[in-house]
Amino acid sequence: MSVLALTAVVGVQAQAFQANPEKAFNPFTPSVFNAPAKAASLEGTIEWSYSGTTSVSEWGGVGVGAADVAFDVAIFVPGDGVLAGASINGISVPVLDTAGKNYTAWVRATLDEEPLASVALGTVKSGLNAVALDAPQAIPSAGCYVGYSFTCSTAYPIAYDETVQTPGSYFLQFDAGGWADYASQFGASPLKIHVSNVTLADNDLALMGIEKKATLPNSPFTAVATLNSSGGKSVESIDYTITVNGKSESKHADLETPIASGFNKPGTVVIEGTSPEEIGEYTVVVTIDKVNGGENAQTATAQATFKNLTKLVQRKTVVEEFTGTGCGWCPRGWAGMEMMKHERENFIGIAFHKYNTTDPMYLANYPLLGLTGAPGCVMDRKTSFDPYFGSGRGEDIKADFVYYNALAPEVDVTLVATYNEDSTSVDFKASTEFLVKPNKVSFVYVLTADGLSGTTTAWRQANNYAGYNQGGLAYLDDFCKDGKYGETYVYLTFDDVMIGSSYNTSMVNQGQSVQGSSRLKEGSVYPSEYTIAMPTKATLKAAIDKDKVYAVVLVVDDATGEILNAAKTKVVGEETGIKATHIQSAADSFYTIDGRRLTAPQRGVNIVRNADGSTRKVVVE
């Protein structure tokens, strides 16, 4: 048995991806459903799978980090329920590694027995490759195993769907070293079987879940419900009952995109309701009553916890990246952060350089946030993934950013930051409005700097991508052969670099904490402040342009560790901070210097939060 361990490419281990330049420079093309070798034998069959995905853009890749490894992949097919008495006519094999050799699909009674049926695929294409068996294979009452075998040419060649983790949906072995079920670790194989002798109920629709929403009191809302159909007819509409805090309403909804007939077909529908009057959490329960106007074969219900807020405000999404100049794969993180900074609004980046102590930007006082390898990142301290490719939710991390940035925050934050007289420290003054009664929260303060660079060898960024061809990836192609930074060591300009924080060297945050109380409730405003010294390390200090330093405040839920919301502002001198005298918009919010909210600007210094979320100081005479 090979001593190499199975590792995942996307969304599981950031460090494992470092050994996987193949995916980075051979972006997969959209899925191609090949014409079956024996189309007649697949006519009239129904597709069955654990995974509803069909496109390589929805898949991650698993492997052992090496080529020329023989892999076997399988799923368990039950012989009871709707598949009782059914036969397998064909198999659709998910292919990432089009240069792999000897692809063979097969059916086995047990994983270690010889195949009951097998067929070679021949030439394969990226995506699902359908092939018919020589003859239909009856599914035993005890079930059977369906899979495929091949020898890989890339390091991470086996597709998986991380959204499904059903036991039996992802068996793997390599170099005939022994089978194991990796469903709980990675997800399900997108492999699909084509079955005959199956009778499906016309309507068999499951309600998988409802997205959580933040709402305003006593207001209409919409939310997306996730569906899964195993019916013989396509799903075009539903009738449902929605119950909000015990109050029920009957509704009808047409699906924007109908769900095709067959097994485990995913889909969504938009449901509607009205929020209660009280601020805080409430329960929403949805039950499907009819499908296409007819009876449903199963009881389909789901619930979610919604939350009423005093107002809805824009989230600032924070991406904290673990990186370092000595990390050869970290240009991927640099590229991902640059991409978000230029292509996504409401982005706050914090790049903490802790990979190597020889890095001129290295500072010890920032936690690793659970990251075990560089490059890696956490988004709003909710989840961690690759700082360029993201979690696999889309083609890159921008899809994750859009998802998390759409979540309504529970706090609204404003921030002003000024240098002291000799610019050796920065004073933070934050004002946090709680949109729902808070639990205990903490305030984390961070200084970042843009435009850091140097000419000595200590500033060189290691670049492992210099040996690879470009693959059409924005920002990252610059580090490949013939790219702008296509050398083994490159000189970069670094932005969003953490140059100070409220963490001490023991990684304990020294910023304030506040506990929800009768005094501190929804609608209350809490002022907080902190001072951070500017760096004194000579190489870092010399690289900092005082006009390119920014202050960030993170409001962190102590119970979950997640960032509830954040604010970022440019650090200014005291005089620069109060020069403006023009109030731009009646929609702006006004605060005193100590954080008290005002109904209108008052004489003297005001903190103004603009409608776009930015803040500034103004003087009213």
Side-chain angles (χ1 to χ4, degrees), residues 456-526:
T456 64
T457 56
W459 285 91
R460 297 188 310 176
Q461 173 67 56
N463 176 29
N464 290 352
Y465 292 98
Y468 296 95
N469 295 321
Q470 298 179 7
L473 297 177
Y475 300 91
L476 192 51
D477 272 356
D478 285 342
F479 293 93
C480 304
K481 288 179 181 177
D482 302 320
K484 181 179 179 181
Y485 308 115
E487 302 292 335
T488 304
Y489 292 95
V490 295
Y491 288 92
L492 301 174
T493 298
F494 298 91
D495 290 342
D496 300 314
V497 177
M498 188 278 294
I499 60 170
S501 79
S502 56
Y503 289 101
N504 62 19
T505 54
S506 297
M507 307 309 128
V508 177
N509 177 41
Q510 303 300 295
Q512 302 97 317
S513 294
V514 58
Q515 177 75 48
S517 65
S518 58
R519 180 182 67 84
L520 192 60
K521 55 187 179 181
E522 63 272 8
S524 58
V525 177
Y526 183 82

Side-chain angles (χ1 to χ4, degrees), residues 345-431:
E345 294 182 0
N346 306 314
F347 165 73
I348 295 178
I350 300 173
F352 56 96
H353 286 241
K354 290 189 67 172
Y355 183 84
N356 55 293
T357 58
T358 56
D359 187 330
M361 294 163 283
Y362 176 89
L363 288 177
N365 63 323
Y366 210 80
L368 287 175
L369 304 172
L371 298 171
T372 58
C377 76
V378 292
M379 189 169 287
D380 280 341
R381 298 196 179 179
K382 295 178 184 293
T383 189
S384 61
F385 35 64
D386 186 84
Y388 188 93
F389 290 104
S391 69
R393 182 173 277 109
E395 292 185 0
D396 54 45
I397 196 171
K398 289 182 293 186
D400 295 291
F401 185 88
V402 168
Y403 175 81
Y404 286 107
N405 194 244
L407 302 177
E410 298 180 10
V411 298
D412 194 13
V413 195
T414 63
L415 177 64
V416 171
T418 55
Y419 288 109
N420 66 351
E421 290 184 2
D422 59 1
S423 298
T424 57
S425 65
V426 174
D427 296 322
F428 291 67
K429 290 186 182 294
S431 181

Side-chain angles (χ1 to χ4, degrees), residues 29-35 56 59 93-98 103 121-129:
T29 57
S31 168
V32 178
F33 192 85
N34 294 352
V56 294
W59 304 339
V93 175
V95 173
L96 299 181
D97 181 7
T98 57
Y103 277 93
L121 270 69
T123 302
V124 295
K125 296 181 180 180
S126 178
L128 287 171
N129 291 250

Side-chain angles (χ1 to χ4, degrees), residues 214-230:
T215 55
L216 294 173
N218 196 27
S219 300
F221 64 78
T222 61
V224 176
T226 304
L227 307 172
N228 187 282
S229 177
S230 292

